[in-house]
C-alpha cells in the first residue's frame, strides 16, 4: 500500500498516467475545447462524463454578434449625418435663392424705384456668391449640402435675370439682342449640368476633367457685371444722373459685357467637352 500511495502521488504531481495506465484527471482537463470529470481515484478505472464546452461559448458569441449588428443598424442614421445642417454659409446661399422670386415680383411693378431695387438685390446676391464660399473655407464649414446648393443658386439667379430682361429690355436694346446671349448662356449651363452628372457617375479622371477652370470664373464674373448693369438701366439711367451719350454708353457696355460672357461660356464649354470626350465611348 505504501508503494501504491507513492505511485499515486507521483502521478498527481506529473499529471501523466496512473499505476494501471489510466490517464490522469490533469490530462483530461487540459484537453482543448472539452471538460472531463473523473470520479474516483487516479489508480482505478472510473466512469467519466464528457461535457462539451463549445455550445455555451457559441451561444455567447452569437448573442454578442446579434447585439453588435443591432447597435450598428441603430447608429447608421447618425453616422450618415442625419440630414443637411444649416450653417452660416448655407444660410447666405439660401438667401440668394430667395432673392430670385423677389426680383421676379418686383421687376414687373411700376415706379422709378423698381429698376434700382432690382439692381441692388442682384448686386447683393452677386456679393453673397463670393461671401458664402469664403466663409465656408475660412470657418471650416464646408458641407456637401452647401456645395450642392451654391451652383444651383447661381444658375437660378442668372437664368431668371436673363429671362426677365428678354421680356423687358433696356431702352434701345432689341429683344433679339437679349435673346441671343441668353440662349447661349442658359444652354451652356444645361449642357454643363449634364456633363458634370455624367463625369460624377464615371468618376476617376473623367470627374477631374470638369473641375472649374479660369474661363468659367471669368464667365461668371462678366455675367454678374452685365446683368447688374442691364437690370439697373431697364428704365433708363436717370436715377444714376446719366443722360444722353453717357446713358447710351452704359447700356451698350452692359450689352457687350453680356455678349463677352456668352463667348466665355462657349469657350469654357469647349474646354470641358474636350476634356471629357476622350473618356466617352
Amino acid at each position: 500500500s505504501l508503494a501504491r500511495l507513492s505511485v499515486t502521488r507521483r502521478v498527481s504531481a506529473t499529471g501523466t498516467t496512473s499505476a494501471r495506465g489510466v490517464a490522469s484527471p490533469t490530462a483530461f482537463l487540459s484537453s482543448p475545447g472539452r471538460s472531463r470529470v473523473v470520479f474516483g481515484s487516479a489508480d482505478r478505472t472510473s466512469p467519466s462524463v464528457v461535457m462539451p464546452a463549445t455550445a455555451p461559448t457559441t451561444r455567447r458569441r452569437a448573442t454578442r454578434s446579434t447585439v453588435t449588428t443591432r447597435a450598428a443598424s441603430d447608429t447608421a442614421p447618425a453616422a450618415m449625418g442625419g440630414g443637411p445642417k444649416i450653417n452660416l454659409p448655407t444660410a447666405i446661399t439660401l438667401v440668394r435663392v430667395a432673392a430670385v422670386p423677389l426680383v421676379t415680383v418686383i421687376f414687373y411693378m411700376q415706379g422709378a424705384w423698381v429698376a434700382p431695387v432690382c439692381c441692388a438685390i442682384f448686386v447683393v446676391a452677386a456679393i453673397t456668391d463670393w461671401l458664402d464660399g469664403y466663409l465656408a473655407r475660412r470657418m471650416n464649414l464646408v458641407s456637401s449640402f452647401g456645395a450642392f446648393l451654391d451652383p444651383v443658386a447661381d444658375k437660378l439667379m442668372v437664368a431668371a435675370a436673363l429671362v426677365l430682361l428678354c421680356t423687358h429690355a433696356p431702352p434701345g436694346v432689341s429683344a433679339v439682342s437679349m435673346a441671343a446671349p441668353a440662349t447661349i448662356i442658359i444652354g451652356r449651363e444645361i449642357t454643363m449640368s449634364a456633363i458634370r452628372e455624367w463625369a460624377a457617375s464615371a468618376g476617376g479622371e473623367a470627374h477631374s476633367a470638369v473641375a472649374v477652370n479660369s474661363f468659367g470664373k471669368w464667365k461668371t464674373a462678366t455675367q454678374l457685371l452685365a446683368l447688374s448693369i442691364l437690370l439697373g438701366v431697364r428704365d433708363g439711367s436717370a436715377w444714376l444722373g446719366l443722360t444722353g451719350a453717357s446713358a447710351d454708353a452704359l447700356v451698350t457696355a452692359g450689352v457687350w459685357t453680356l455678349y463677352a460672357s456668352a463667348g466665355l461660356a462657349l469657350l469654357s464649354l469647349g474646354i470641358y467637352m474636350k476634356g471629357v470626350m476622350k473618356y466617352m465611348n
Side-chain angles (χ1 to χ4, degrees):
S1 64
L2 290 176
R4 180 179 299 177
L5 179 58
S6 176
V7 171
T8 301
R9 287 179 177 176
R10 284 197 301 272
V11 170
S12 299
T14 59
T16 53
T17 55
S18 65
R20 298 187 179 183
V22 179
S24 69
T26 306
F28 283 119
L29 290 175
S30 62
S31 300
R34 308 186 68 182
S35 299
R36 184 160 186 155
V37 180
V38 180
F39 300 93
S41 61
D43 61 338
R44 68 180 67 172
T45 303
S46 306
S48 63
V49 178
V50 178
M51 296 183 296
T54 57
T57 305
T58 304
R59 285 195 298 268
R60 285 195 296 270
R61 289 177 180 174
T63 303
R64 286 196 296 267
S65 177
T66 304
V67 172
T68 304
T69 304
R70 290 178 179 174
S73 62
D74 292 341
T75 58
M80 294 174 63
K85 304 297 188 297
I86 307 301
N87 51 34
L88 179 59
T90 304
I92 294 175
T93 306
L94 289 173
V95 170
R96 189 161 72 254
V97 174
V100 174
L102 180 61
V103 171
T104 303
V105 171
I106 296 176
F107 187 83
Y108 291 106
M109 293 182 178
Q110 300 298 322
W113 59 273
V114 172
V117 169
C118 288
C119 177
I121 294 175
F122 192 86
V123 169
V124 171
I127 293 174
T128 63
D129 183 27
W130 165 82
L131 182 63
D132 56 4
Y134 172 78
L135 291 177
R137 292 186 296 270
R138 185 67 180 270
M139 303 172 65
N140 195 24
L141 293 175
V142 178
S143 64
S144 57
F145 180 61
F148 152 77
L149 190 63
D150 184 67
V152 172
D154 297 343
K155 290 174 175 56
L156 286 175
M157 183 175 63
V158 170
L162 288 169
V163 171
L164 292 175
L165 289 169
C166 286
T167 62
H168 189 164
V173 180
S174 65
V176 175
S177 299
M178 291 300 306
T183 302
I184 293 173
I185 292 172
I186 294 176
R188 184 262 186 195
E189 296 301 335
I190 294 173
T191 306
M192 277 305 305
S193 296
I195 291 175
R196 292 187 189 280
E197 182 179 356
W198 175 86
S201 63
E205 295 182 357
H207 187 258
S208 302
V210 294
V212 177
N213 58 38
S214 58
F215 290 105
K217 294 179 180 179
W218 279 106
K219 179 266 306 177
T220 302
T222 52
Q223 273 181 7
L224 299 178
L225 177 61
L227 294 174
S228 298
I229 294 173
L230 295 173
L231 285 172
V233 298
R234 187 203 71 165
D235 298 325
S237 307
W239 67 279
L240 294 172
L242 301 176
T243 58
S246 299
D248 294 339
L250 183 60
V251 174
T252 303
V255 173
W256 281 109
T257 304
L258 187 62
Y259 272 87
S261 175
L264 289 170
L266 289 177
L267 179 59
S268 62
L269 177 62
I271 294 174
Y272 289 128
M273 288 295 295
K274 181 180 179 181
V276 300
M277 284 295 291
K278 57 186 177 182
Y279 300 108
M280 295 182 176
N281 53 26

